[in-house]
C-alpha cells in the first residue's frame, strides 16, 4: 500500500510551525484534515477545504468539508471555474492522481473561513512499502500548538 508524507506548514510563519504527517493512500482527506487540526490545536467546528495553488480562495479544485459539500445546490460548484469534491469521499491517492502530485508539489488547506487559518502541505515523499490502511500520523513537528481563539496566536492579527 502506498503512503504519503506531507509537511504541513502555517502559511504566515512556515519555519516556526509545521507538522510532518504520514497517511495511507486509502485514507480520506477528512481523516487527514482531522489529524492536522488536532496536531495544530484547532477544533473541528468550522468550514474548511483543501485546494491547489497559493491563492486559497481562487483554487480551481476544492476538496470540501463533507457538510459544506452536501449543502451545495445540486452538488454544483459555487464558481463556474472550479471543481468541488467531498473530502470524506476522496482518498489521498485520488487527490494525488487528480492533481498529478509529485514530490515537492504543494496543496493548500484553509480552515475557518472567518479567521482564515491558512496552511500548505508539501508532498515530501511517497512510499510503496508502508502497511495498508495507515492512519494519518504526525511523525515529526516543530512549534507549539496554537490557541485557536487567541488573537495573540493568530498571525493575521499580529
Amino acid at each position: 500500500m502506498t503512503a504519503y508524507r506531507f509537511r504541513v506548514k502555517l502559511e504566515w510563519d512556515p519555519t516556526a510551525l509545521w507538522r510532518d504527517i504520514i497517511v495511507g493512500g486509502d485514507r480520506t482527506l477528512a481523516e487527514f484534515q482531522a489529524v492536522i487540526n488536532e496536531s495544530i490545536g484547532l477544533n473541528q467546528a468550522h468550514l474548511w477545504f483543501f485546494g491547489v495553488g497559493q491563492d486559497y480562495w481562487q483554487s480551481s479544485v476544492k476538496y470540501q468539508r463533507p457538510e459544506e459539500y452536501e449543502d451545495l445546490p445540486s452538488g454544483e460548484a459555487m464558481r463556474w471555474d472550479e471543481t468541488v469534491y467531498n473530502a470524506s469521499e476522496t482518498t489521498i491517492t485520488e487527490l494525488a492522481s487528480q492533481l498529478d502530485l509529485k514530490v515537492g508539489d504543494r496543496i493548500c488547506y484553509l480552515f475557518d473561513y472567518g479567521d482564515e487559518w491558512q496552511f500548505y502541505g508539501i508532498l515530501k515523499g511517497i512510499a510503496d512499502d508502508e502497511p495498508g490502511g495507515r492512519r494519518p500520523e504526525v511523525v515529526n513537528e516543530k512549534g507549539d500548538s496554537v490557541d485557536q481563539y487567541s488573537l495573540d496566536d493568530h498571525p493575521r492579527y499580529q
Side-chain angles (χ1 to χ4, degrees):
M1 174 56 65
T2 302
Y4 298 81
R5 182 181 186 128
F6 288 91
R7 176 158 291 173
V8 178
K9 298 180 171 195
L10 180 64
E11 177 76 36
W12 297 289
D13 199 355
T15 60
L17 178 61
W18 54 262
R19 304 290 186 257
D20 281 351
I21 300 173
I22 295 179
V23 56
D26 63 343
R27 294 299 179 157
T28 68
L29 290 171
E31 292 173 284
F32 181 42
Q33 180 273 341
V35 169
I36 293 171
N37 277 26
E38 182 181 321
S39 72
I40 298 292
L42 303 173
N43 66 30
Q44 292 296 100
H46 296 280
L47 297 177
W48 54 267
F49 68 83
F50 287 98
V52 295
Q54 294 179 322
D55 189 357
Y56 292 77
W57 289 110
Q58 299 307 313
S59 177
S60 60
V61 179
K62 291 182 181 164
Y63 299 87
Q64 291 180 323
R65 177 182 173 171
E67 296 83 357
E68 180 180 16
Y69 179 84
E70 292 163 5
D71 284 344
L72 289 173
S74 305
E76 296 295 322
M78 298 305 287
R79 291 190 349 246
W80 68 270
D81 62 340
E82 73 181 4
T83 304
V84 179
Y85 298 96
N86 184 335
S88 70
E89 295 176 355
T90 306
T91 66
I92 299 295
T93 296
E94 289 169 334
L95 167 103
S97 176
Q98 291 165 350
L99 300 180
D100 192 27
L101 287 183
K102 308 278 188 285
V103 172
D105 287 349
R106 172 179 166 155
I107 59 172
C108 66
Y109 168 58
L110 179 70
F111 175 77
D112 186 346
Y113 295 176
D115 284 339
E116 293 188 21
W117 287 91
Q118 295 180 357
F119 300 88
Y120 61 93
I122 299 170
L123 181 58
K124 299 296 279 184
I126 303 170
D128 288 328
D129 58 349
E130 291 290 330
R134 184 171 185 160
R135 294 181 186 274
E137 173 187 11
V138 176
V139 295
N140 196 9
E141 64 184 56
K142 182 176 180 188
D144 295 328
S145 295
V146 300
D147 178 350
Q148 178 175 341
Y149 297 108
S150 168
L151 295 181
D152 292 336
D153 275 5
H154 197 299
R156 184 174 171 200
Y157 301 109
Q158 295 178 7

